[in-house]
């Protein structure tokens, strides 16, 4: 044998040469079944891990529903109508039934293009497959979405600080002062589900999932831009760190930064095309008096309700205290150095809610999806004594049940 023959490795490869590329083996039905079983096993484990949080969420919301069911007949009101077919619910059901208008018009508070499309589209699609009215379908979707949202809220808290904090964060979110909206034909539950899972995907490095959920959030509510901003800003920070280390940018991170605002931008562009003007959506919002004024109307309402009004309405006082508390909690969140995605998300939501010149009374509801603001409270309760924790949670749950019932049965305007 010649001494100049090339040496080979035990598997027949010649060192220093490119290893021949073998084509991927075709996926067999058995391997697909194995992956499906692995996925189901992972989901079951995740569900068992989140079970205490979901049980706590259901307990809080059922408590609120029991108070509503007890109080509604005494107020001679139809609880079903209040939950499923009134105020914004009626607008969404109208869109599901008749679609969007194609004219701007001049009447204030009358153009349904102000309402984003994902929820009414889901109501229309699911109603074809389910018995009952579209109102019952919409309410059912909201309840299911609230459970998905609660799971996402738990996942974020669990990821950052462990299971106890995740459970407490979910319980506090359920006991938000206007938490009754979570089980109404509104979009807050669906939006929170998209936002929570988008933020969780960012925290775990699942960039395309984060962008997809952010796009869905952008099709659900105007504040969907806050979710998109959280994903895009965090992706850009990630790319900047890679560039500082002279690493090539990850294609998925770049794609996430670009795709996250797609849903929100697509709806605004569609409204512009439908109305034949580039600022069509903003023209609609002006008809609803929802223009940013830098917070002047918010400050005016604060001053009037807290200092000048001799007999302020209870619901408006609750809204004001919720807004003030949200600002304080954002400061605590920044002090705790929450991840940038969470701070950007809650910061943009606060800027939109506080900086709006529109109607004042629904602003506590607008803050409902900003669940990361509750993380400082969840952390504090996780370190408190069991007695202190029980007293605080009991007060929060009972207060939420009363505020929700008062909001729906006594307060005369929309939640």
């Amino acid at each position: 044998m010649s001494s100049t023959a090339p040496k080979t490795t035990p598997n027949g490869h010649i060192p220093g040469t490119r290893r021949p590329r073998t084509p991927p083996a075709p996926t067999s039905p058995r391997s697909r079944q194995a992956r499906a079983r692995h996925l189901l096993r992972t989901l079951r484990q995740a569900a068992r891990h989140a079970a205490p949080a979901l049980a706590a969420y259901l307990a809080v919301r059922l408590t609120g529903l029991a108070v509503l069911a007890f109080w509604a007949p005494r107020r001679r009101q139809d609880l079903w109508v209040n939950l499923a077919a009134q105020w914004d619910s009626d607008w969404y059901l109208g869109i599901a039934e008749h679609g969007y208008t194609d004219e701007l018009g001049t009447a204030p508070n009358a153009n349904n293009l102000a309402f984003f499309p994902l929820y009414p589209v889901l109501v229309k699609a699911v109603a074809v497959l389910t018995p009952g009215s579209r109102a019952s379908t919409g309410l059912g979707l909201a309840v299911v979405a609230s459970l998905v949202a609660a799971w996402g809220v738990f996942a974020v808290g669990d990821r950052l600080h462990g299971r106890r904090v995740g459970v407490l964060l979910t319980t506090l979110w359920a006991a938000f002062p206007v938490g009754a909206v979570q089980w109404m034909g509104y979009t807050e539950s669906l939006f929170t589900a998209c936002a929570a899972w988008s933020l969780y995907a960012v925290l775990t490095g699942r960039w395309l999932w984060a962008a997809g959920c952010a796009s869905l959030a952008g099709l659900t509510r105007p504040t969907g831009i806050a979710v998109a901003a959280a994903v895009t800003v965090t992706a850009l920070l990630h790319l900047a760190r890679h560039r500082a280390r002279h690493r090539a940018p990850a294609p998925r991170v770049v794609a996430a930064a670009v795709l996250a605002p797609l849903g929100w931008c697509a709806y605004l562009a569609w409204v512009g095309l439908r109305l034949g003007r580039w600022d069509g959506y903003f023209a609609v919002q002006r008809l609803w008096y929802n223009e940013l004024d830098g917070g002047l109307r918010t400050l005016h309402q604060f001053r009037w309700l807290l200092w000048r009004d001799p007999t302020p309405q209870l619901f408006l006082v609750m809204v004001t205290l919720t807004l003030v508390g949200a600002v304080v909690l954002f400061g605590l969140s920044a002090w705790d150095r929450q991840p940038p995605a969470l701070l950007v998300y809650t910061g943009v939501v606060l800027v939109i809610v506080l900086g709006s010149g529109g109607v004042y009374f629904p602003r506590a509801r607008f803050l409902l999806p900003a669940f990361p603001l509750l993380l400082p409270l969840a952390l504090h309760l996780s370190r408190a004594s069991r007695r202190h924790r029980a007293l605080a949670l009991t007060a929060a749950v009972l207060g939420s049940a009363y505020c929700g019932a008062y909001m729906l049965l006594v307060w005369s305007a929309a939640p």
Side-chain angles (χ1 to χ4, degrees), residues 24-43:
T27 304
S28 66
R30 183 172 297 179
S31 64
R32 287 197 296 268
Q33 291 174 2
R35 282 202 297 269
R37 286 195 298 269
H38 174 72
L39 178 60
L40 289 175
R41 186 165 56 250
T42 302
L43 287 174

Side-chain angles (χ1 to χ4, degrees), residues 172-231:
L172 290 172
W173 181 69
F176 204 77
V178 292
V181 174
Q182 296 165 9
W183 283 9
M184 292 177 62
Y186 276 47
T187 57
E188 272 70 22
S189 291
L190 179 61
F191 179 75
T192 306
C194 296
W197 285 109
S198 180
L199 294 173
Y200 177 76
V202 170
L203 295 175
T204 55
R206 295 175 172 88
W207 292 103
L208 294 183
W209 279 103
C213 291
S215 290
L216 291 176
L219 290 170
T220 307
R221 289 194 60 78
T223 43
I225 191 61
V227 188
V231 176

Side-chain angles (χ1 to χ4, degrees), residues 322-338 342-344 346-347 350 354 370 372-377 379:
T322 301
L323 296 179
V324 173
V327 174
V328 173
L329 289 172
F330 181 78
L332 293 175
S333 300
W335 181 267
D336 288 342
R337 297 184 178 181
Q338 284 186 9
L342 272 60
L343 290 175
V344 171
T346 52
L350 277 174
L354 297 177
L373 292 172
L374 301 171
L375 263 174
L377 292 178
L379 277 169

Side-chain angles (χ1 to χ4, degrees), residues 214-285:
S215 290
L216 291 176
L219 290 170
T220 307
R221 289 194 60 78
T223 43
I225 191 61
V227 188
V231 176
T232 299
V233 170
T234 309
L236 293 176
L237 291 175
H238 181 86
L239 292 172
R241 287 194 296 269
H242 272 239
R243 183 177 181 183
R245 297 170 184 172
H246 304 287
R247 295 179 181 176
R252 292 189 176 189
V253 182
V254 176
V258 175
L259 295 175
L262 190 60
W264 189 83
C265 293
Y267 181 65
L268 265 64
W270 180 81
V271 173
L273 290 173
R274 191 171 182 83
L275 296 181
R277 48 187 296 177
W278 70 270
D279 65 338
Y281 177 76
F282 300 102
V284 171
Q285 288 294 343

